[in-house]
Amino acid sequence: MRVQADAALHRSAESPVHWHILTGEYPPQPGGVSDYTRAVSEGLAARGESVTVWAPGCSPELPGAHGPRVCRLPQGFSVPGLRVLGGVLERSPRPARLLVQYVPHAFGRGGLNVVFAAWLAVQRRAELWVMFHEVAMPWSWGPGGLQAGIQRVMAAMLARRARRIFVSTPAWAPRLTMRRGGVALEWLPVPSNVIGPAGETAREAARSRVPGEAGAPVVGHFGTFGEGIGGPLHLVLRLVAEAHPTVRFMLLGRGSRTFHARLLRDVPTLTGRIIALGGLPPEELAPHLAACDLMLQPYPDGVTTRRGTAMAALALGRPLVTNAGSLTEPVWRSTEAVLLAARPEAGELARAVLRLLSDPGDEWRRRAEAARRLYGERFELRHTLDRLLSAARRTP
């Protein structure tokens, strides 16, 4: 580990500062933060930055010719793992920057790795930057409330020490009030985690996998099918299927097959009109998403710029049916790319889907173009990299 990690510090003479990106997951580990960290680390390396990624796990990975170094911590971000990381920082021949991809549950100990937060808070060997993908659990009564409180203390420890603070949505600002004086929160939307674009041949091949009447519209959903989303989605699909007897459905993502089996038990009339493909490799996702005529993406707290699944739809020019909520930013209310229900209520979402299905011509094309334009202008990975490097230039 020491030889591998130290060698990474000498890889680039172009960058005066070495980036150490800390993440709770990294490919081949699945997850949105995993995909995001890979995209950002590879993007920074491609722009001439010297980058090491630190993640839990045991399998060493060799970088590409100009890619980031990936260092695995077999014991994660526990005390032994932090000793390894601290030793590398001590031996660093150049200034070091820690960019933490923060989700409290990703760093172990059931989301209560106070040791990790405290270690970061007292670091003097490196400049600390934090990207808050999430901050803390919502307040609640009972044991969950205690966990939410501890997580807020952890976040405050990081925010008070950090030189730069980024958030995946401005909705996190009220949870980060205890931060270092003069350090502003910078909004850094999450780009699509899907490798694209999709060629027409691959798109047609993906579309042909969906059973049902050829030429009938295809409604897709991409996610992990957790209960907070799976519950409303189950009811919306049933309502749409009953109202539109030829529409077909494609389910993508981990958990889709289990959800599919449960759905068919409850709604047997969907048999022969729906397919679930599970967690496809990243390079196969783009043609399957592009094969859908529209994407149905309900979220219990509303669509936000931290939702990589919503970004994937926009990036591929798919009209998006979703809902507003407590975390929804204004950008979603002012674009034709999105048909936005006022809340995650199945009836409202179903009516929005059926409205689009009733006019598959000009409205679809207009919304598809709006989706591509919005993503390109606001959310592409290049914007993330530009903002990180601009912040680096502004940091004294």
Side-chain angles (χ1 to χ4, degrees), residues 263-300:
L263 182 65
L264 287 183
R265 284 196 302 269
D266 296 341
V267 192
T269 55
L270 275 171
T271 303
R273 299 167 58 191
I274 187 169
I275 188 171
L277 296 173
L280 294 174
E283 63 275 9
E284 294 183 26
L285 270 172
H288 286 83
L289 286 168
C292 301
D293 293 297
L294 63 93
M295 297 301 296
L296 169 63
Q297 301 289 146
Y299 300 109

CSV table of all heavy atoms in Angstrom, one decimal, residues 263-300:
chain,number,residue,atom,x,y,z
A,263,LEU,N,-44.8,-6.7,-8.7
A,263,LEU,CA,-45.8,-6.0,-9.5
A,263,LEU,C,-46.7,-6.9,-10.3
A,263,LEU,O,-47.9,-6.8,-10.3
A,263,LEU,CB,-45.1,-5.0,-10.4
A,263,LEU,CG,-45.9,-4.1,-11.3
A,263,LEU,CD1,-46.7,-3.1,-10.5
A,263,LEU,CD2,-45.0,-3.4,-12.3
A,264,LEU,N,-46.1,-8.0,-10.9
A,264,LEU,CA,-46.9,-8.9,-11.7
A,264,LEU,C,-47.9,-9.7,-10.8
A,264,LEU,O,-48.9,-10.1,-11.3
A,264,LEU,CB,-46.0,-9.8,-12.5
A,264,LEU,CG,-45.3,-9.2,-13.7
A,264,LEU,CD1,-44.5,-10.2,-14.4
A,264,LEU,CD2,-46.3,-8.5,-14.6
A,265,ARG,N,-47.5,-10.0,-9.6
A,265,ARG,CA,-48.4,-10.7,-8.7
A,265,ARG,C,-49.6,-9.9,-8.4
A,265,ARG,O,-50.7,-10.4,-8.3
A,265,ARG,CB,-47.7,-11.1,-7.4
A,265,ARG,CG,-46.7,-12.2,-7.5
A,265,ARG,CD,-46.4,-12.8,-6.1
A,265,ARG,NE,-45.8,-11.7,-5.2
A,265,ARG,CZ,-44.5,-11.5,-5.1
A,265,ARG,NH1,-43.6,-12.2,-5.8
A,265,ARG,NH2,-44.0,-10.6,-4.3
A,266,ASP,N,-49.4,-8.5,-8.3
A,266,ASP,CA,-50.5,-7.6,-7.9
A,266,ASP,C,-51.3,-7.2,-9.1
A,266,ASP,O,-52.5,-6.9,-9.0
A,266,ASP,CB,-50.0,-6.4,-7.2
A,266,ASP,CG,-49.3,-6.8,-5.8
A,266,ASP,OD1,-49.6,-7.9,-5.3
A,266,ASP,OD2,-48.6,-6.0,-5.3
A,267,VAL,N,-50.6,-7.1,-10.3
A,267,VAL,CA,-51.2,-6.6,-11.5
A,267,VAL,C,-50.9,-7.5,-12.6
A,267,VAL,O,-50.1,-7.3,-13.5
A,267,VAL,CB,-50.7,-5.1,-11.9
A,267,VAL,CG1,-51.6,-4.5,-12.9
A,267,VAL,CG2,-50.7,-4.2,-10.6
A,268,PRO,N,-51.6,-8.7,-12.7
A,268,PRO,CA,-51.3,-9.7,-13.7
A,268,PRO,C,-51.5,-9.3,-15.1
A,268,PRO,O,-50.9,-9.8,-16.0
A,268,PRO,CB,-52.2,-10.9,-13.3
A,268,PRO,CG,-53.2,-10.3,-12.4
A,268,PRO,CD,-52.6,-9.2,-11.7
A,269,THR,N,-52.3,-8.2,-15.3
A,269,THR,CA,-52.6,-7.8,-16.7
A,269,THR,C,-51.4,-7.1,-17.3
A,269,THR,O,-51.3,-6.9,-18.5
A,269,THR,CB,-53.8,-6.7,-16.7
A,269,THR,OG1,-53.4,-5.7,-15.7
A,269,THR,CG2,-55.1,-7.4,-16.2
A,270,LEU,N,-50.3,-6.9,-16.5
A,270,LEU,CA,-49.1,-6.3,-17.0
A,270,LEU,C,-48.2,-7.4,-17.7
A,270,LEU,O,-47.3,-7.1,-18.4
A,270,LEU,CB,-48.3,-5.6,-15.9
A,270,LEU,CG,-48.7,-4.2,-15.7
A,270,LEU,CD1,-47.9,-3.7,-14.4
A,270,LEU,CD2,-48.3,-3.3,-16.8
A,271,THR,N,-48.6,-8.6,-17.5
A,271,THR,CA,-47.8,-9.7,-18.1
A,271,THR,C,-47.7,-9.6,-19.6
A,271,THR,O,-48.7,-9.3,-20.3
A,271,THR,CB,-48.4,-11.1,-17.8
A,271,THR,OG1,-48.5,-11.2,-16.3
A,271,THR,CG2,-47.6,-12.2,-18.3
A,272,GLY,N,-46.5,-9.7,-20.2
A,272,GLY,CA,-46.4,-9.5,-21.6
A,272,GLY,C,-46.2,-8.1,-22.1
A,272,GLY,O,-46.1,-7.8,-23.3
A,273,ARG,N,-46.1,-7.1,-21.1
A,273,ARG,CA,-46.0,-5.7,-21.4
A,273,ARG,C,-44.8,-5.0,-20.7
A,273,ARG,O,-44.6,-3.8,-20.8
A,273,ARG,CB,-47.3,-4.9,-21.1
A,273,ARG,CG,-48.5,-5.4,-21.9
A,273,ARG,CD,-49.8,-4.9,-21.3
A,273,ARG,NE,-49.8,-3.4,-21.3
A,273,ARG,CZ,-50.7,-2.7,-20.7
A,273,ARG,NH1,-51.7,-3.3,-20.0
A,273,ARG,NH2,-50.7,-1.4,-20.7
A,274,ILE,N,-44.1,-5.8,-19.9
A,274,ILE,CA,-43.1,-5.1,-19.0
A,274,ILE,C,-41.9,-6.0,-18.9
A,274,ILE,O,-42.0,-7.2,-19.0
A,274,ILE,CB,-43.7,-4.9,-17.6
A,274,ILE,CG1,-42.8,-4.1,-16.7
A,274,ILE,CG2,-44.1,-6.2,-16.9
A,274,ILE,CD1,-43.4,-3.6,-15.5
A,275,ILE,N,-40.7,-5.4,-18.8
A,275,ILE,CA,-39.5,-6.1,-18.7
A,275,ILE,C,-38.6,-5.4,-17.6
A,275,ILE,O,-38.7,-4.2,-17.4
A,275,ILE,CB,-38.7,-6.1,-20.0
A,275,ILE,CG1,-37.5,-7.1,-19.8
A,275,ILE,CG2,-38.2,-4.7,-20.4
A,275,ILE,CD1,-36.8,-7.3,-21.2
A,276,ALA,N,-37.9,-6.2,-16.8
A,276,ALA,CA,-37.0,-5.7,-15.8
A,276,ALA,C,-35.6,-6.2,-16.1
A,276,ALA,O,-35.5,-7.5,-16.2
A,276,ALA,CB,-37.5,-6.1,-14.4
A,277,LEU,N,-34.6,-5.4,-16.1
A,277,LEU,CA,-33.3,-5.8,-16.6
A,277,LEU,C,-32.2,-5.7,-15.5
A,277,LEU,O,-31.1,-6.0,-15.8
A,277,LEU,CB,-32.9,-4.9,-17.8
A,277,LEU,CG,-33.8,-5.1,-19.0
A,277,LEU,CD1,-33.4,-4.0,-20.1
A,277,LEU,CD2,-33.7,-6.5,-19.6
A,278,GLY,N,-32.6,-5.4,-14.3
A,278,GLY,CA,-31.6,-5.4,-13.2
A,278,GLY,C,-30.6,-4.3,-13.4
A,278,GLY,O,-30.7,-3.3,-14.1
A,279,GLY,N,-29.4,-4.5,-12.7
A,279,GLY,CA,-28.3,-3.6,-12.7
A,279,GLY,C,-27.4,-3.8,-13.9
A,279,GLY,O,-26.5,-4.6,-13.9
A,280,LEU,N,-27.7,-3.2,-15.0
A,280,LEU,CA,-26.9,-3.3,-16.2
A,280,LEU,C,-25.5,-2.7,-16.1
A,280,LEU,O,-25.4,-1.7,-15.3
A,280,LEU,CB,-27.6,-2.7,-17.4
A,280,LEU,CG,-28.9,-3.3,-17.9
A,280,LEU,CD1,-29.6,-2.5,-19.0
A,280,LEU,CD2,-28.7,-4.7,-18.4
A,281,PRO,N,-24.5,-3.1,-16.8
A,281,PRO,CA,-23.2,-2.4,-16.8
A,281,PRO,C,-23.4,-1.0,-17.3
A,281,PRO,O,-24.3,-0.7,-18.1
A,281,PRO,CB,-22.4,-3.3,-17.8
A,281,PRO,CG,-23.0,-4.6,-17.9
A,281,PRO,CD,-24.5,-4.4,-17.6
A,282,PRO,N,-22.6,-0.1,-16.8
A,282,PRO,CA,-22.8,1.3,-17.2
A,282,PRO,C,-22.9,1.6,-18.7
A,282,PRO,O,-23.7,2.4,-19.2
A,282,PRO,CB,-21.6,2.0,-16.6
A,282,PRO,CG,-21.2,1.1,-15.5
A,282,PRO,CD,-21.5,-0.3,-15.9
A,283,GLU,N,-22.1,0.9,-19.5
A,283,GLU,CA,-22.1,1.1,-20.9
A,283,GLU,C,-23.3,0.6,-21.6
A,283,GLU,O,-23.6,1.0,-22.8
A,283,GLU,CB,-20.8,0.5,-21.6
A,283,GLU,CG,-20.8,-1.0,-21.5
A,283,GLU,CD,-20.2,-1.5,-20.2
A,283,GLU,OE1,-19.9,-0.7,-19.3
A,283,GLU,OE2,-19.9,-2.7,-20.1
A,284,GLU,N,-24.1,-0.2,-21.0
A,284,GLU,CA,-25.3,-0.7,-21.5
A,284,GLU,C,-26.6,0.1,-21.1
A,284,GLU,O,-27.7,-0.1,-21.7
A,284,GLU,CB,-25.6,-2.2,-21.2
A,284,GLU,CG,-24.5,-3.2,-21.7
A,284,GLU,CD,-24.8,-4.6,-21.4
A,284,GLU,OE1,-26.0,-4.9,-21.1
A,284,GLU,OE2,-23.9,-5.4,-21.3
A,285,LEU,N,-26.4,0.9,-20.2
A,285,LEU,CA,-27.6,1.7,-19.7
A,285,LEU,C,-28.1,2.7,-20.7
A,285,LEU,O,-29.3,2.9,-20.9
A,285,LEU,CB,-27.2,2.4,-18.4
A,285,LEU,CG,-27.5,1.6,-17.1
A,285,LEU,CD1,-26.9,2.4,-15.9
A,285,LEU,CD2,-29.0,1.4,-16.9
A,286,ALA,N,-27.1,3.4,-21.4
A,286,ALA,CA,-27.5,4.5,-22.2
A,286,ALA,C,-28.5,4.1,-23.3
A,286,ALA,O,-29.6,4.7,-23.5
A,286,ALA,CB,-26.3,5.2,-22.9
A,287,PRO,N,-28.3,3.0,-24.1
A,287,PRO,CA,-29.2,2.6,-25.1
A,287,PRO,C,-30.6,2.2,-24.6
A,287,PRO,O,-31.6,2.4,-25.2
A,287,PRO,CB,-28.5,1.5,-25.9
A,287,PRO,CG,-27.4,1.0,-25.0
A,287,PRO,CD,-27.0,2.2,-24.2
A,288,HIS,N,-30.6,1.6,-23.4
A,288,HIS,CA,-31.8,1.2,-22.8
A,288,HIS,C,-32.7,2.4,-22.3
A,288,HIS,O,-33.9,2.4,-22.4
A,288,HIS,CB,-31.6,0.2,-21.7
A,288,HIS,CG,-31.2,-1.2,-22.2
A,288,HIS,ND1,-29.9,-1.5,-22.5
A,288,HIS,CD2,-32.0,-2.3,-22.4
A,288,HIS,CE1,-29.9,-2.7,-22.9
A,288,HIS,NE2,-31.1,-3.3,-22.9
A,289,LEU,N,-32.0,3.4,-21.7
A,289,LEU,CA,-32.7,4.6,-21.3
A,289,LEU,C,-33.2,5.3,-22.6
A,289,LEU,O,-34.4,5.8,-22.6
A,289,LEU,CB,-31.8,5.5,-20.5
A,289,LEU,CG,-31.5,5.1,-19.1
A,289,LEU,CD1,-30.3,5.9,-18.5
A,289,LEU,CD2,-32.7,5.2,-18.2
A,290,ALA,N,-32.4,5.4,-23.6
A,290,ALA,CA,-32.8,6.1,-24.8
A,290,ALA,C,-33.9,5.3,-25.5
A,290,ALA,O,-34.7,5.9,-26.3
A,290,ALA,CB,-31.6,6.2,-25.7
A,291,ALA,N,-34.1,4.0,-25.3
A,291,ALA,CA,-35.2,3.3,-25.9
A,291,ALA,C,-36.5,3.6,-25.3
A,291,ALA,O,-37.6,3.3,-25.9
A,291,ALA,CB,-34.9,1.8,-25.7
A,292,CYS,N,-36.6,4.3,-24.1
A,292,CYS,CA,-37.8,4.7,-23.5
A,292,CYS,C,-38.3,6.0,-24.1
A,292,CYS,O,-37.5,6.9,-24.4
A,292,CYS,CB,-37.6,4.9,-22.0
A,292,CYS,SG,-37.1,3.3,-21.2
A,293,ASP,N,-39.6,6.1,-24.3
A,293,ASP,CA,-40.2,7.4,-24.8
A,293,ASP,C,-40.2,8.5,-23.7
A,293,ASP,O,-40.2,9.7,-24.0
A,293,ASP,CB,-41.5,7.1,-25.4
A,293,ASP,CG,-41.5,6.2,-26.6
A,293,ASP,OD1,-40.9,6.7,-27.6
A,293,ASP,OD2,-42.0,5.1,-26.6
A,294,LEU,N,-40.4,8.0,-22.5
A,294,LEU,CA,-40.4,9.0,-21.4
A,294,LEU,C,-39.9,8.2,-20.1
A,294,LEU,O,-40.1,7.0,-20.0
A,294,LEU,CB,-41.7,9.7,-21.2
A,294,LEU,CG,-42.9,8.8,-20.8
A,294,LEU,CD1,-43.1,8.7,-19.3
A,294,LEU,CD2,-44.2,9.3,-21.5
A,295,MET,N,-39.4,9.0,-19.1
A,295,MET,CA,-39.0,8.4,-17.9
A,295,MET,C,-39.9,8.8,-16.8
A,295,MET,O,-40.1,10.0,-16.6
A,295,MET,CB,-37.5,8.7,-17.6
A,295,MET,CG,-36.5,8.2,-18.6
A,295,MET,SD,-36.5,6.4,-18.8
A,295,MET,CE,-36.0,5.9,-17.1
A,296,LEU,N,-40.4,7.9,-16.0
A,296,LEU,CA,-41.2,8.1,-14.8
A,296,LEU,C,-40.4,8.0,-13.6
A,296,LEU,O,-39.9,6.9,-13.3
A,296,LEU,CB,-42.4,7.1,-14.8
A,296,LEU,CG,-43.2,7.1,-13.5
A,296,LEU,CD1,-43.9,8.4,-13.3
A,296,LEU,CD2,-44.3,6.0,-13.6
A,297,GLN,N,-40.1,9.1,-12.9
A,297,GLN,CA,-39.2,9.1,-11.7
A,297,GLN,C,-39.8,9.8,-10.5
A,297,GLN,O,-39.5,10.9,-10.2
A,297,GLN,CB,-37.9,9.8,-12.1
A,297,GLN,CG,-37.1,9.2,-13.3
A,297,GLN,CD,-36.5,7.8,-13.0
A,297,GLN,OE1,-36.4,7.0,-13.9
A,297,GLN,NE2,-36.0,7.7,-11.8
A,298,PRO,N,-40.6,9.1,-9.7
A,298,PRO,CA,-41.1,9.7,-8.5
A,298,PRO,C,-40.1,9.7,-7.4
A,298,PRO,O,-39.3,8.8,-7.3
A,298,PRO,CB,-42.3,8.8,-8.1
A,298,PRO,CG,-42.0,7.5,-8.7
A,298,PRO,CD,-41.2,7.8,-10.0
A,299,TYR,N,-40.1,10.8,-6.6
A,299,TYR,CA,-39.2,10.9,-5.5
A,299,TYR,C,-39.9,11.3,-4.2
A,299,TYR,O,-40.6,12.3,-4.3
A,299,TYR,CB,-38.0,11.9,-5.8
A,299,TYR,CG,-37.2,11.5,-7.0
A,299,TYR,CD1,-37.3,12.2,-8.2
A,299,TYR,CD2,-36.3,10.4,-6.9
A,299,TYR,CE1,-36.5,11.9,-9.3
A,299,TYR,CE2,-35.6,10.1,-8.0
A,299,TYR,CZ,-35.7,10.8,-9.2
A,299,TYR,OH,-34.9,10.5,-10.3
A,300,PRO,N,-39.8,10.7,-3.1
A,300,PRO,CA,-40.5,11.1,-1.9
A,300,PRO,C,-40.3,12.5,-1.4
A,300,PRO,O,-41.2,13.2,-0.9
A,300,PRO,CB,-40.1,10.0,-0.9
A,300,PRO,CG,-38.8,9.5,-1.3
A,300,PRO,CD,-38.9,9.5,-2.8
